[in-house]
Amino acid sequence: MTRKKKEQKGIGPGSRSGVPHWHESIGMWRQWVTIEGKRHKCQSKDHKEVLEQVAALRAGVNHPARRMARELGPTLAELCETALANAKYQDEEALGTHHVYSAAYHKWQSVLGADTRTGTITHDDLQGAIDKLVKDCTPKTIRPYFAALKIAIGKEHPAFKGIQLPKLNRTTHIVIPPDLATRLQIAAQHHPLGILIGLAFGAGVRPGEACALRWADINFNTGVITIDGTMKPGFAGWRRGDTKTRKARAIPIDRVRLAWLKRHQRMQADTAQLAGYPMPEYVAANVETGQPVERHQATAVLRKLLKDVCTPAELAQYGKARYHDTRHTNISELVAQGFGWPNIAERAGHSVREMERTYAHPVSGVGQQMAQTLEAIFPIFDPQATTEATNYQDSASQSDQKLTRALTHIRQLF
C-alpha cells in the first residue's frame, strides 16, 4: 500500500487529524482529541476501541450536567480554593492578608453554600448573605470580606450591583486627661511592663511600635529613640516587621522617661539573671521568658492600671480605653500646646493631612486657656473686675498645685 493511501485510511503519522492513525513503532492505533483547550490521547490495538474512547470523551463533554457546570461556572468552594492557591501569600509580610482572605472565603461558603455555582448567585442571595454576616461580624470586618469575594468572583459580576453594606461604627477615641495620665504613670512604676505606659504618653507610639522597641534603638546620650519596627503576626507567633509607613523615625524623649528607661533596664537585667535567661533584646519583655510581648498586651497593661487608679466615675468613662488612645491623647496635647502640624506629623510618623483628619480632638482645659488669651488681648481696665478675677485665679490654681505635686513625685522616683 502506498503512503498516500495509508494516510487516506488514517494509517501513519501523516494521516489527517480527527481520525485514528496507526503507529508502527508502538503497534497501536492512536487519536488525539482536544476538549476545552486540553488534549486527550486515545489509543488501543483495536481500531474500533479507539473510536469508542473518542465517542465516550465527546459524550462526557456534551453531558447535560457537565454542560450546565460549564455555563454556570465553578462552585464557590472551587473558586475560593483556586484564589488562595494562586495568590502569593507564602512570605511573612503577606501572612495577615492570607488569614483575612481564608477567613472570608470560609464565611461566604457558610452563608452562600460551598456547592453554589458562581453563575447562579443573584443580588438577593448576596444581600441575604450579608444580612446573615451582620449577626456574627462587625461592619468593619464585612468590608474586607466583601472585597475578597469580589476578587475571587470578579467585580463585574451582576450580583454586586446595588449591594448595601452595613454602615461603619466609627470608633470613638478616648482622650485621657493629663491628671489621670500622671496617676497612671505613677502606678506604672510598680508594673513589670509599666514602661509601655511611659512610652505611650511620652512618645505617642503605636502599640506594636512600643512592643518592638529594642535597647539598641535607644541612644541614652542624646535622649532619642528610633522607631523602625512593629510587632506583627508571623508563622511562629509574633515577629518584628516594618512600621506602618515603612519608614524609621527618631523621637526625642524627656529626661524623666530616659531615667525611667535606665531603671527599667537595670531591673530587667536583674530579673534575667535570676531567671537564668540572657538579657532581653526588647524593652518590653516577658518576665518569665525574656521574649518580646505581643502588641495586645499593651492595652491589657493600660486597662489593668486604669482599674487601679480610677474612681468609679472615671472608670466608667475611661475604663475601655485602648493603648492607641494614648497616642491620640499625646498628639492632641501637642496640638493644644501650639506645636505645628508638620512637626507633630514627623514625630508621630504620619502625613499632615492624615494627622489633621484623624487626630484633631478637643482637649479638656483648652477652653480656659483660650479665655485667658482673649483676656490678655482684650483687657478690661476695671479695678473691681480685676480684684474678682484675682480671686478666681486663686481658686483655680489649687488644681494646678495638685498636678505639680504629682509630677514632683515622679521625678523623685529617679
Side-chain angles (χ1 to χ4, degrees), residues 52-72:
E52 290 175 352
Q53 291 178 14
V54 173
L57 274 173
R58 289 175 175 167
V61 172
N62 296 322
H63 192 275
R66 182 166 182 175
R67 186 165 57 251
M68 182 182 297
R70 186 171 62 252
E71 293 173 356
L72 299 181

Side-chain angles (χ1 to χ4, degrees), residues 157-180:
H157 196 285
F160 293 118
K161 294 182 179 179
I163 287 293
Q164 297 293 327
L165 294 175
K167 293 184 179 179
L168 287 173
N169 299 325
R170 296 294 179 184
T171 303
T172 302
H173 293 284
I174 301 174
V175 178
I176 300 173
D179 60 332
L180 178 55

